[in-house]
Structure formats: C-alpha cells, structure tokens
Amino acid sequence: MGEQKEVKQQVPEPEKKNSDWNLRPYLALGAVTFLVFCCCMAVVFVIFKYESVKRVWDVVAGVLQPIVIGAVLAYLLNPLMRRTETLLSKAILPKAKNQEKTKKTIRTIASVFALLVFLLVVVFVFYLIVPAVIESITNLVNSMSDKVDEFIDWYNSLGATERAPKLWETYLLEASAYIEKWFNESMVPELKNYASTITEGVIGVFVLLKNVLVGLIVSIYVLMEKEHFEGLAKKILFAILPTRQSNNAIQIVHKVDQIFGGFIMGKLIDSAIIGALCFVGCAILRMPYTLLVSVIIGITNIIPFFGPLIGAIPCILIITITDPLHGLYFIIFVLVLQQLDGNVIGPKILGDSTGLSSFWVIFAILVSGGLFGFAGMLIGVPAFAVIYYLIQRFIAYLLGRRKLPTETMDYTYVTHVDTKTRELKSDGWAHHEPYRKKSKK
C-alpha cells in the first residue's frame, strides 16, 4: 500500500468583528447639527431679548469704537503711507548701515506723515469750507424772494405771453415761500434742538472726541504693524480651516480689498478733482455761490452714474434764479466737466475697479439707495461688486465640477448639453455660429 498523505482539514477561522468604525461622518453630522441648533437658539434669543441684546451691543460697540475708528482710518491712509514709504526707502535705504532700524524709522515717518495730511484736510474742510458753505446757504435763503422777483422781471422782459409770466410767477413765489418757510420754521428750530441736545450731552461729545483721538493713535500702530496683523490672521485661518478653504478665503479677502479700496479711494480722489475743477471754472466764469456749487458737485460726484445729475439740478436752479444767463453758462460748463470726468479723469483713476457693467451699476445704485438711502448709494456699487464676484466664483466652481465651460458668451445660443461629451450644442442657431466662434476668440 502506498503511503497515504495526511490531509489536514483546514478549519475556517471565525470572522473577526470589525471594531474600527469610521466615526468621522458621524462626528461631522453631529457638529453640523449642533451648530444649526446653536444658530437657531441665537436667533430666537435675539428676537425675544432684543432690548437686552441691543444694550449689550451698544456697550461692546462703545468699547470697540476707537479700535474701529483706528482700523478704518488706517485702511484709508494705507495707500498714502505706502507711497511715502516707497519714496523714502528708495532715497534712504541704499545709504543706511542698519537696514532693519532704518526701515522702522521710515515706516514711522510715513505713517505720521499720512496722518498729518489727513488732519490738514479735516482742518481745511471744517474751518474754511464749511463756514463759507453755511454762509452761502443762509444768504441764498434770505435773498430768495428778491432773486425770484428779479427772475420774474427778467422773464417778463423777454416779451413772452401774459399767461406764461403769471404761471411762472405763481410757481416761483410758492416755491420761494415754501423754501423760506421750511428754512425758518423747520431747519432753524431743528438746528437749535440739535444744539441743545449737544449742550445737554457734553459728556457724550467728550467721549466721542476721546474715541477719535484714541482712534488716531490706534491708526498709527495699525499702520506700523499691518504685516504682523495680516500674518496673524492668516496663521489663525490656516489653523482653523482646511488648506483649500483657507486659500479661497485669502483670495476672496484680497478681491474685496481690491474692489472696495480701489473704488472708494478712486472715487474720493476723482470727486476732489472734479470739485476743484468746478470751483476754478465757476470762478473764471464769475458764477454766483461758487464755493457752494463746487462742494455740491464734488460731494454728489461720489455717487456713480446718478451723482452728476443729482448735484447739477439744484446748482442749475440756484444759479438760474440768481442770474439766468449764468445758469445757461453753467449748464454748458457742467456738461463739459462731466464728459471730461466720464471719459478721461474717471477711467484713469478708477479703471475697472468693480468689474460691473453699466446695467449692474444702475441696478446696485437703485436697490441699495432704496434700502439704505444716501449711504447705500455710496457703497452700493462696491458691495454689489463683491456679491457679484462671490456668486461668479460659486457658479464657476459648480460648472467646473460638471466639466462645463465657464465663459458666459459660450451659453448665449446653447439649446442643450451633450450628456456624453459634455459639449454645448446650439441646434437651430446655425446662423449665429460665426458670432459664437468669434466670441470664443
């Protein structure tokens, strides 16, 4: 008999239970649920405890007011400080022995210089322009009746029909009486009430002045250590969020800074130039109320698109009632000035800081102005530009996940998308194909 090989019967080992569960999805779900619950509770608390929340917010806002003032002022002064620092660095650093100490000295000088320029502008506005503007408004209101009578006499001297002068006389006298009554019975008492309120709240005024002074000091420190604060914020961001989200957040913040900084600073410089040119032009043409008109044109020019129209209408009325011939000259002058601003000065200073088309600019001004008034008209365009940019990024992200193009013109004549190749199809739009190909280029 042959040797029999021993065959070992393999007994299957009992299956081990998998004790290593993946807890990350459950932890994420629990964290999201907890955050949603906390947000709901916070909203309910704010609704039912609004007065308490408001008191707490007022206290916190009062404590942080000098910090906020300093941060905003530092943001506005940063471009001037940076340019001054660049010029001083080019002139001083090559000859310096201790580079680090020299850089700190240059930063200090540039920061103080930017703050001094700001204070000089404030002093110039409040001690030279504001009193002259108030005096011009007071003289205009007090002499309104005489100016209207002179305008009516001038209109009658043109040899118009008898009915038209009576209508003009009625309307102008009613308007003059209404303005004079509003100024004497509404505006002056309100100013007295404000004066009495300020007198009663002397402590509040001193607190505000103290916060402004502290804010000026804070702005110097912010300008001195802005790179440190920027690095600290980025370090915290990368510590809390994943790398990809942190990179996106930094890109968004830089874009917001580019939009707001470019638009606000550009508009302020542009409006100051337009106001100065208006003052020079009105002085050469010997316009009445030159300073008042120039201030109105300069301030309203900050509002995009509608600003020149808003400022020109009251100025034309003021000048026309005082001197009709000068009113005609001013209409021609302001048209030339706005063309100069819209085609030369504005594009040179602002460029394409917002990236919005004319339609979206009008849309932003109308919506923000309707919701928040004059302040909304000022910041509505850059705020909407930021929202538009965020939506554009989100849409591009979703299209990228679906492997679809992100260019808007590629979708103009699209009828469907091929589900297999993910190509855009434009069946039935054959006569528009040349336009689509041209737009892709």
Side-chain angles (χ1 to χ4, degrees):
M1 294 178 61
E3 295 182 358
Q4 295 181 351
K5 294 182 179 180
E6 295 182 358
V7 179
K8 294 182 179 180
Q9 187 177 1
Q10 296 180 354
V11 180
E13 296 181 0
E15 295 181 359
K16 295 181 179 180
K17 293 183 179 180
N18 187 12
S19 59
D20 299 333
W21 290 356
N22 187 9
L23 298 178
R24 293 183 63 183
Y26 301 99
L27 291 176
L29 180 61
V32 171
T33 305
F34 178 74
L35 289 175
V36 171
F37 176 76
C38 291
C39 291
C40 294
M41 292 299 295
V43 172
V44 173
F45 180 80
V46 170
I47 293 174
F48 288 97
K49 298 290 184 179
Y50 176 75
E51 293 298 330
S52 301
V53 174
K54 186 176 183 299
R55 285 196 296 269
V56 173
W57 171 253
D58 291 339
V59 173
V60 174
V63 172
L64 296 179
Q65 188 179 40
I67 305 297
V68 174
I69 293 174
V72 173
L73 186 58
Y75 181 77
L76 295 176
L77 295 180
N78 184 54
L80 178 60
M81 188 276 293
R82 190 169 59 244
R83 290 179 179 274
T84 306
E85 185 181 23
T86 302
L87 293 175
L88 292 176
S89 299
K90 291 181 179 179
I92 299 176
L93 274 182
K95 304 176 183 178
K97 296 181 180 180
N98 191 337
Q99 295 286 323
E100 292 298 325
K101 187 176 180 180
T102 306
K103 286 181 180 179
K104 291 182 180 180
T105 304
I106 291 174
R107 172 62 62 86
T108 304
I109 295 173
S111 302
V112 173
F113 174 76
L115 184 60
L116 289 177
V117 170
F118 171 77
L119 293 176
L120 288 175
V121 171
V122 172
V123 170
F124 175 75
V125 170
F126 279 95
Y127 284 92
L128 295 179
I129 296 180
V130 172
V133 171
I134 294 176
E135 183 180 359
S136 298
I137 295 174
T138 305
N139 294 335
L140 175 64
V141 173
N142 292 334
S143 62
M144 180 66 70
S145 299
D146 297 334
K147 298 298 182 182
V148 170
D149 292 336
E150 293 177 4
F151 181 80
I152 292 172
D153 293 338
W154 171 82
Y155 186 79
N156 292 335
S157 66
L158 298 179
T161 60
E162 295 181 359
R163 184 179 179 185
K166 293 182 178 179
L167 291 175
W168 275 102
E169 183 177 357
T170 303
Y171 292 146
L172 289 174
L173 289 176
E174 289 179 357
S176 174
Y178 175 79
I179 293 174
E180 189 172 357
K181 181 180 178 181
W182 171 80
F183 183 81
N184 293 324
E185 297 182 5
S186 298
M187 188 173 179
V188 173
E190 286 296 326
L191 291 176
K192 293 179 180 178
N193 292 334
Y194 291 147
S196 62
T197 303
I198 293 175
T199 304
E200 294 173 0
V202 174
I203 297 177
V205 173
F206 278 109
V207 169
L208 179 61
L209 291 176
K210 183 262 295 182
N211 290 337
V212 172
L213 291 176
V214 174
L216 294 175
I217 299 173
V218 169
S219 66
I220 294 293
Y221 284 100
V222 173
L223 290 173
M224 291 287 295
E225 302 185 19
K226 60 177 184 175
E227 290 84 3
H228 173 73
F229 293 135
E230 183 179 357
L232 181 62
K234 291 178 180 179
K235 182 174 73 173
I236 296 173
L237 189 66
F238 281 110
I240 296 175
L241 297 178
T243 304
R244 180 178 297 178
Q245 282 77 4
S246 300
N247 292 336
N248 291 333
I250 292 174
Q251 291 178 7
I252 291 173
V253 171
H254 285 173
K255 186 65 176 181
V256 171
D257 173 62
Q258 178 185 349
I259 293 174
F260 266 91
F263 180 83
I264 294 175
M265 296 304 299
K267 263 300 178 182
L268 289 176
I269 296 173
D270 176 53
S271 299
I273 293 174
I274 293 301
L277 291 177
C278 183
F279 179 80
V280 173
C282 290
I284 294 174
L285 297 174
R286 299 183 181 275
M287 297 284 181
Y289 306 106
T290 298
L291 185 59
L292 174 61
V293 168
S294 302
V295 170
I296 293 175
I297 292 294
I299 292 176
T300 56
N301 194 73
I302 299 176
I303 302 174
F305 199 83
F306 295 108
L309 181 63
I310 295 174
I313 290 176
C315 294
I316 292 172
L317 292 177
I318 292 172
I319 295 176
T320 302
I321 292 175
T322 305
D323 191 334
L325 188 59
H326 277 89
L328 179 61
Y329 293 159
F330 182 77
I331 292 175
I332 299 173
F333 170 71
V334 80
L335 288 175
V336 174
L337 184 63
Q338 293 306 326
Q339 289 297 318
L340 178 65
D341 179 35
N343 297 312
V344 180
I345 300 177
K348 288 288 185 182
I349 297 176
L350 291 172
D352 191 17
S353 57
T354 60
L356 296 177
S357 63
S358 300
F359 170 79
W360 290 118
V361 170
I362 299 173
F363 176 84
I365 295 172
L366 292 177
V367 173
S368 57
L371 293 176
F372 305 106
F374 184 76
M377 298 180 74
L378 292 178
I379 65 172
V381 173
F384 184 80
V386 171
I387 297 173
Y388 186 87
Y389 170 73
L390 295 177
I391 295 175
Q392 196 175 35
R393 279 181 63 99
F394 181 67
I395 295 298
Y397 169 74
L398 295 179
L399 291 173
R401 292 184 60 181
R402 292 167 173 79
K403 298 180 180 180
L404 293 173
T406 58
E407 291 295 329
T408 303
M409 292 303 299
D410 292 338
Y411 292 87
T412 304
Y413 302 107
V414 169
T415 57
H416 67 281
V417 177
D418 193 311
T419 56
K420 295 181 179 179
T421 63
R422 313 301 295 173
E423 293 182 359
L424 305 180
K425 301 295 183 180
S426 55
D427 298 343
W429 293 93
H431 56 288
H432 290 293
E433 284 296 324
Y435 176 75
R436 288 191 64 230
K437 292 178 181 178
K438 183 180 180 181
S439 65
K440 287 183 178 181
K441 295 180 182 179

